[in-house]
């Protein structure tokens, strides 16, 4: 393989990158793809009209978004995407810096040593074989081999120094974010899954015994996760109907119609009388079986007295079996998907 083949391969890869960037620039302008590329903005802000974009402008690639993304400061990224987004971007910048340092050292120090490592008649650069640019072109027992060792140490030391400053900056940023954010119950809570079944104790007793034994000073209490029952299904159906009726103009609603709630297999709704006693008797908790009301799942939210204790409990391996006593920091209350918590962890 010669240099011309390498340049051809590099040109093909660069052309593919340009095509992919152009496709991204075009697809992100299409109104139908707004839910794909701007999901966070659509969730946080009400949906508004973005104005009429000409057909020509929608199908012409643009590079303005690259300059805006590169010029964004850490504070702007922190406000939009959070600490994790800033850490990810710092990792990308760190990789680019290490690549630049390695490229400069290899181009101006290593490659000349390899190229002139043998006493030979060199051809033109584009006709040379790639072997003349490798360490195999250096004579055996040559003192110039120390240049490779020096270059390796320079690149490694530069990467370690840059990594130290990056970690120091990200650590300060995370600490400022943690200390500046208001206390949240999720900071003191750990989600434990894969609670082993015991014929003698319930899941609740097993969780209490486990954490009171291994975390006696920091353990506070726990809350078990229970399976869905009839009332939960009725509440979900009622919430779905509320969203449907909320989008309808009140002028088109006939107040003389009876109130309905979802339910029933054959008919989508059951018509209820307007008497309060009939509604209360239909949805009374007393009519449900005890095992339906208190059906425990092998998952629980465990509360600790300090954030440090909760973090340690979330990071430490609790059992030699990785499928049992699986712990992680609890999500935000509005981010919990309760139906998934009832699924056994081994099945997940």
């Amino acid at each position: 393989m010669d240099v011309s083949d390498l340049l051809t391969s590099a040109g093909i890869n660069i052309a593919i990158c340009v095509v992919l960037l152009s496709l991204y620039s075009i697809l992100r302008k299409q109104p139908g793809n707004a839910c794909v590329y701007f999901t966070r903005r659509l969730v946080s802000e009400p949906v508004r009209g973005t104005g009429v974009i000409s057909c020509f402008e929608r199908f012409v690639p643009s590079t303005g978004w690259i300059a805006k993304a590169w010029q964004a400061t850490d504070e702007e990224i922190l406000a939009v995407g959070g600490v994790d987004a800033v850490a990810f971007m710092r990792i990308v910048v760190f990789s680019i810096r290490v690549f630049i340092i390695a490229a400069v050292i290899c181009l101006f120090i290593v490659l000349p040593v390899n190229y002139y490592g043998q006493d030979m008649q060199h051809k033109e650069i584009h006709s040379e074989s790639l072997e003349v640019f490798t360490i195999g072109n250096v004579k055996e027992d040559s003192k110039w081999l120390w240049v490779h060792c020096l270059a390796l140490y320079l690149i490694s030391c530069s990467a370690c120094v840059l990594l130290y400053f990056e970690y120091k900056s990200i650590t300060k940023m995370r600490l400022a974010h943690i200390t500046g954010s208001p206390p949240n119950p999720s900071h003191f809570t750990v989600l434990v899954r894969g609670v082993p079944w015991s014929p003698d104790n319930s899941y609740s007793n097993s969780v209490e015994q486990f954490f009171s034994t291994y975390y006696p000073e920091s353990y506070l209490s726990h809350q078990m996760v229970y399976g869905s029952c009839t009332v939960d299904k009725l509440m979900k159906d009622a919430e779905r109907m509320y969203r449907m009726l909320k989008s309808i103009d009140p002028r088109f609603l006939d107040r003389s119609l009876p109130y309905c709630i979802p339910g029933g297999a054959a008919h989508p709704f059951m018509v209820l009388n307007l008497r309060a006693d009939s509604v209360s008797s239909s949805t009374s908790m007393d009519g449900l079986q005890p095992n339906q009301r208190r059906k425990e799942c092998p998952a629980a939210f465990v509360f600790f007295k300090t954030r440090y204790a909760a973090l340690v409990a979330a990071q430490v391996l609790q059992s030699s079996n990785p499928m049992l006593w699986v712990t992680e920091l609890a999500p935000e209350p509005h981010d919990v998907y309760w139906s998934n918590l009832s699924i056994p962890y081994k099945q997940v």
Side-chain angles (χ1 to χ4, degrees), residues 329-346:
L329 284 177
E332 297 286 341
H334 57 273
D335 293 335
V336 178
Y337 193 68
W338 297 98
S339 300
N340 283 350
L341 296 182
S342 59
I343 302 176
Y345 186 76
K346 291 183 178 180

Side-chain angles (χ1 to χ4, degrees), residues 237-247:
D237 293 339
E239 184 179 359
R240 189 182 303 113
M241 282 302 305
Y242 170 75
R243 291 195 298 266
M244 294 175 58
L245 296 176
K246 187 178 180 181
S247 60

Side-chain angles (χ1 to χ4, degrees), residues 35-328:
C35 59
V36 179
Y37 296 101
F38 306 101
T39 305
R40 187 182 184 91
R41 185 182 301 177
L42 293 177
V43 171
S44 60
E45 299 178 1
V47 180
R48 299 176 182 176
T50 56
V52 180
I53 302 177
S54 62
C55 182
F56 178 77
E57 183 181 354
R58 283 169 48 188
F59 292 97
V60 174
S62 59
T63 58
W65 61 272
I66 300 179
K68 292 180 180 180
W70 187 259
Q71 295 173 358
T73 61
D74 292 344
E75 290 74 14
E76 294 175 351
I77 300 176
L78 181 64
V80 174
V83 180
D84 292 336
V86 178
F88 176 80
M89 293 304 301
R90 296 295 290 267
I91 292 174
V92 174
V93 174
F94 163 79
S95 303
I96 294 175
R97 290 174 179 173
V98 173
F99 175 79
I100 292 175
I101 294 174
V104 171
I105 294 176
C106 292
L107 286 175
F108 294 100
I109 299 179
V110 177
L111 283 184
V113 171
N114 296 340
Y115 188 73
Y116 297 104
Q118 297 279 0
D119 296 332
M120 57 183 298
Q121 187 68 28
H122 290 284
K123 306 175 184 178
E124 295 182 0
I125 295 294
H126 61 85
S127 300
E128 290 281 6
S129 175
L130 290 180
E131 295 179 356
V132 301
F133 297 99
T134 64
I135 193 174
N137 194 50
V138 183
K139 295 180 180 180
E140 295 183 2
D141 300 330
S142 175
K143 295 182 179 180
W144 290 108
L145 292 174
W146 287 100
V147 175
H148 287 268
C149 183
L150 177 63
L152 181 60
Y153 274 101
L154 287 177
I155 295 174
S156 301
C157 292
S158 301
C160 291
V161 171
L162 291 176
L163 193 62
Y164 170 78
F165 285 107
E166 289 293 337
Y167 264 94
K168 185 177 180 180
S169 176
I170 293 175
T171 302
K172 289 183 178 179
M173 188 182 306
R174 288 189 179 277
L175 184 60
H177 176 73
I178 292 174
T179 56
S181 59
N184 195 307
S186 61
H187 298 161
F188 301 85
T189 310
V190 170
L191 173 62
V192 56
R193 305 188 68 177
V195 180
W197 179 80
S198 175
D200 301 328
N201 296 324
S202 62
Y203 285 125
S204 180
N205 293 335
S206 299
V207 172
E208 183 177 2
Q209 292 178 4
F210 181 86
F211 285 95
S212 60
T213 301
Y214 292 101
Y215 302 92
E217 298 181 356
S218 57
Y219 170 73
L220 183 61
S221 63
H222 71 278
Q223 173 61 50
M224 296 300 302
V225 176
Y226 298 98
S228 59
C229 58
T230 305
V231 174
D232 297 329
K233 296 179 181 179
L234 290 176
M235 292 178 62
K236 292 180 181 179
D237 293 339
E239 184 179 359
R240 189 182 303 113
M241 282 302 305
Y242 170 75
R243 291 195 298 266
M244 294 175 58
L245 296 176
K246 187 178 180 181
S247 60
I248 302 176
D249 194 337
R251 292 176 299 177
F252 296 98
L253 293 178
D254 188 0
R255 294 186 178 181
S256 62
L257 292 178
Y259 290 92
C260 306
I261 65 171
H267 303 283
F269 304 102
M270 294 186 305
V271 180
L272 299 181
N273 297 327
L274 297 182
R275 298 195 305 271
D277 53 352
S278 63
V279 177
S280 61
S281 61
S282 301
T283 60
S284 175
M285 290 290 293
D286 298 334
L288 301 176
Q289 298 296 329
N291 57 350
Q292 293 179 338
R293 287 184 296 169
R294 309 289 291 179
K295 185 178 180 181
E296 292 183 342
C297 298
F301 290 96
V302 182
F303 308 103
F304 292 86
K305 298 178 182 179
T306 60
R307 296 181 65 175
Y308 179 78
L311 183 61
V312 170
Q315 300 294 332
V316 172
L317 186 64
Q318 307 294 337
S319 173
S320 58
N321 188 348
M323 293 290 103
L324 299 179
W325 298 109
V326 182
T327 55
E328 60 179 334

